[in-house]
Amino acid sequence: MPPQSGQPAPQWSPKDQAYMKEYLESHPDNRMAWYLLGKQYERSGEQGKANYCFNQAGDIYKAFENEPLPQETVEEQMKERTEREKRRRTKAAQLRAGLLAILFLLLLVLLPGGEAAAPDGMRLNVQQDKGHAPGPQEEIAGGTFYRLVAAGDDEGYAHVLRRILEKDRKRAGEDVVVRMQSDEAWLIWSRTPEPVLLASTPSEGGPIEMLPLAEPDCRCEEERQAANQGAALWAEASERRLIAKSALTAYVKQGKTAPDQWPAMAKAYPANSVSGTSAGIEQAYAEVLQVYRNGMARGAKRKRTEQALSRMWADEADPFREPIRIVVDKKRHRLGVVSGGILLRNYEVGLGGSRTPKGKFVISEKVVNPNGSSTGVFGSRGMTLSDTLYAIHGTNEPDSIGRDESLGCIRMLPDDVEELFDMVPIGTEVSIESDVLPGDLQVPDPEDRYRLDLTPKQDNPGKVYRWLD
């Protein structure tokens, strides 16, 4: 990600510095490259080497530093010092924003054949070679492609920029880099991610225009507002596709054929692989089903299924690359809904201390109003774990949430367990561990909860549940 106000610029590795010196051996007239190398020497305290590079940079150094070259006389430097420092104080914010443009140009010179136009305000025009083959479903002609990075992940941000610069120039459209916060080992999913960069590629191989949206001095309020709205819609759609992909994956892994429509998985108990439907999830399922079926090839059914699932989860248009899992943290009394290293939800739960076993389970059964009541001991929803007496369920003792008062089951608040019930299909993996989730809750506002229209008859009146409450 780009450096924020008050933070130092990312340092090059020795490998990066060696690469730049090698580049300059074959491109000694590239003054921007001399300038960038000089800045890195300056940050590492090697001022003599930095001054040599700045002298080679010539007018580029003056344009960015707004000061004479080091080789100019001391008398001239002393004469202009007072005025220069005054200009620096008044333009401090502009210089901080300029560091982001420098990072873009750094990536540019590391790519062969790169050229760049001088920045116009906060806009940077970049022209790259044509002909790079895009990854699977990476490019959407005339559309917007969102790329996710974690806050503080400089390496990830640099990788994203390289992908933008390397993509097929024949395809017009926009790339929006969005940032989400991270906590310990997890990237924290948000329905309102922060757009930090807008890269616009015109048709017919024109230069890319890059706007650093996260910089306060970026004169791009209209573009920033549009990017914020688009990123929120993208995040919501991505979450629905994840749920659709996870349900399809769990369904076919049970040896069943992927149904033509989502409602075929949302039947009455015990065929309620998913709990219900909505227009949004049906549309998302139709999209991922098409990708799944496009990945089917000839051969044995099992091999064809595995190949189709693998290709479906490799879709670069989605930030999620693994099915939904449930992770329970016994130490912190948390239940997380995760996909790979992304944490979508982090609920507070009640547990049973040593009576809650560690290990891996799967959701083998889902039931609405266990034992016939939404206000009973198991609340309005229950999910059996691997056909045992352990379950994830609601409770009529809300004060027990966050404590070890159950006989081994996982208790949840009503709104939490109902949202979870709608998100996860039968077959979802459940891992009970300790000290693996963040302590901060990750629970949507009431209006942002994921909800489906429940299929009728998902209760099971013929059975009395005796879970280890």
Side-chain angles (χ1 to χ4, degrees):
M1 60 168 277
Q4 297 179 354
S5 176
Q7 294 182 344
Q11 295 292 316
W12 284 0
S13 67
K15 182 178 179 181
D16 291 333
Q17 204 166 74
Y19 186 96
M20 179 62 81
K21 289 191 288 186
E22 181 180 352
Y23 176 87
L24 283 170
E25 288 178 1
S26 57
H27 300 81
D29 296 327
N30 191 321
R31 292 182 296 170
M32 178 59 72
W34 281 111
Y35 173 73
L36 293 172
L37 182 59
K39 291 300 291 182
Q40 291 304 316
Y41 277 132
E42 184 179 68
R43 293 185 184 108
S44 61
E46 297 178 270
Q47 193 61 48
K49 293 181 179 179
N51 288 343
Y52 175 83
C53 294
F54 292 154
N55 289 334
Q56 301 302 314
D59 291 340
I60 293 294
Y61 175 85
K62 291 184 177 181
F64 278 88
E65 299 297 322
N66 202 20
E67 64 181 22
L69 292 173
Q71 67 186 13
E72 296 182 353
T73 65
V74 174
E75 291 79 10
E76 290 175 335
Q77 294 179 12
M78 293 297 296
K79 182 179 179 180
E80 295 183 12
R81 179 174 296 175
T82 302
E83 184 62 24
R84 187 176 66 247
E85 292 301 324
K86 185 184 300 184
R87 292 197 301 267
R88 281 189 172 184
R89 286 193 297 270
T90 59
K91 295 182 179 180
Q94 180 180 351
L95 291 175
R96 285 196 300 270
L99 290 176
L100 179 58
I102 292 171
L103 179 58
F104 295 155
L105 292 171
L106 168 61
L107 290 169
L108 182 62
V109 298
L110 290 176
L111 292 168
E115 300 176 1
D120 174 18
M122 292 301 297
R123 298 171 188 262
L124 178 69
N125 293 327
V126 179
Q127 177 69 52
Q128 276 300 110
D129 288 341
K130 302 177 182 179
H132 173 77
Q137 300 203 15
E138 179 178 340
E139 308 298 343
I140 304 175
T144 302
F145 190 86
Y146 292 87
R147 301 173 186 269
L148 177 61
V149 296
D153 184 4
D154 293 340
E155 183 178 350
Y157 188 82
H159 173 75
V160 164
L161 288 179
R162 287 192 178 95
R163 294 304 300 269
I164 294 173
L165 293 173
E166 291 173 349
K167 76 174 188 177
D168 189 349
R169 283 297 153 262
K170 296 179 181 179
R171 297 177 182 266
E174 294 181 337
D175 290 85
V176 178
V177 182
V178 296
R179 177 170 59 193
M180 293 187 185
Q181 298 301 312
S182 58
D183 189 323
E184 298 179 4
W186 302 97
L187 188 149
I188 309 300
W189 180 254
S190 171
R191 286 279 194 91
T192 56
E194 178 191 9
V196 295
L197 174 69
L198 171 63
S200 302
T201 306
S203 59
E204 300 179 356
I208 305 175
E209 181 181 83
M210 292 188 177
L211 282 177
L213 301 173
E215 289 294 334
D217 295 321
C218 178
R219 297 188 292 273
C220 51
E221 186 56 37
E222 183 177 345
E223 293 93 337
R224 184 186 288 125
Q225 183 176 355
N228 286 334
Q229 294 173 350
L233 293 174
W234 166 80
E236 184 178 1
S238 296
E239 191 173 294
R240 284 198 300 265
R241 283 196 300 271
L242 169 64
I243 292 170
K245 283 185 180 182
S246 299
L248 187 154
T249 300
Y251 199 80
V252 300
K253 282 191 172 183
Q254 296 172 46
K256 303 174 184 178
T257 300
D260 294 336
Q261 295 181 332
W262 173 270
M265 296 185 291
K267 297 182 178 179
Y269 178 93
N272 56 335
S273 181
V274 297
S275 65
T277 189
S278 71
I281 195 61
E282 289 187 26
Q283 179 180 349
Y285 179 77
E287 293 172 2
V288 302
L289 177 64
Q290 185 61 51
V291 175
Y292 170 78
R293 287 180 171 171
N294 289 343
M296 297 289 282
R298 294 181 179 180
K301 179 180 179 181
R302 180 176 178 179
K303 184 175 181 180
R304 288 188 290 119
T305 298
E306 290 176 351
Q307 176 177 298
L309 289 175
S310 178
R311 295 182 69 174
M312 181 183 72
W313 285 105
D315 184 358
E316 294 196 23
D318 278 333
F320 302 105
R321 303 301 175 86
E322 295 181 21
I324 282 177
R325 295 184 299 116
I326 293 173
V327 177
V328 177
D329 188 327
K330 293 185 62 176
K331 178 180 178 180
R332 295 191 174 96
H333 292 85
R334 297 290 183 265
L335 182 150
V337 180
V338 308
S339 169
I342 303 177
L343 179 66
L344 289 93
R345 303 287 191 274
N346 200 27
Y347 305 111
E348 186 176 25
V349 295
L351 300 171
S354 60
R355 293 169 294 194
T356 299
K358 290 185 178 181
K360 293 187 180 297
F361 304 83
V362 295
I363 293 178
S364 54
E365 177 188 30
K366 297 174 64 174
V367 61
V368 172
N369 296 339
N371 297 343
S373 173
S374 63
T375 59
V377 65
F378 299 134
S380 62
R381 304 286 189 274
M383 291 162 274
T384 304
L385 302 183
S386 298
D387 296 319
T388 66
L389 293 180
Y390 297 105
I392 302 170
H393 56 69
T395 181
N396 59 357
E397 298 180 43
D399 291 343
S400 68
I401 300 299
R403 301 179 181 179
D404 288 320
E405 296 184 1
S406 81
L407 297 178
C409 283
I410 301 159
R411 298 177 177 179
M412 300 185 70
L413 294 172
D415 288 342
D416 294 346
V417 75
E418 290 176 9
E419 182 180 44
L420 181 68
F421 193 87
D422 285 353
M423 291 183 73
V424 300
I426 289 178
T428 298
E429 178 184 310
V430 179
S431 177
I432 303 177
E433 307 173 47
S434 185
D435 200 18
V436 291
L437 293 173
D440 292 341
L441 297 178
Q442 181 72 10
V443 180
D445 293 331
E447 64 273 15
D448 292 329
R449 293 276 193 176
Y450 180 77
R451 285 287 186 261
L452 296 176
D453 296 328
L454 279 182
T455 299
K457 298 183 178 180
Q458 291 189 70
D459 56 346
N460 184 18
K463 178 179 179 179
V464 176
Y465 286 88
R466 303 185 186 280
W467 292 318
L468 296 172
D469 176 52

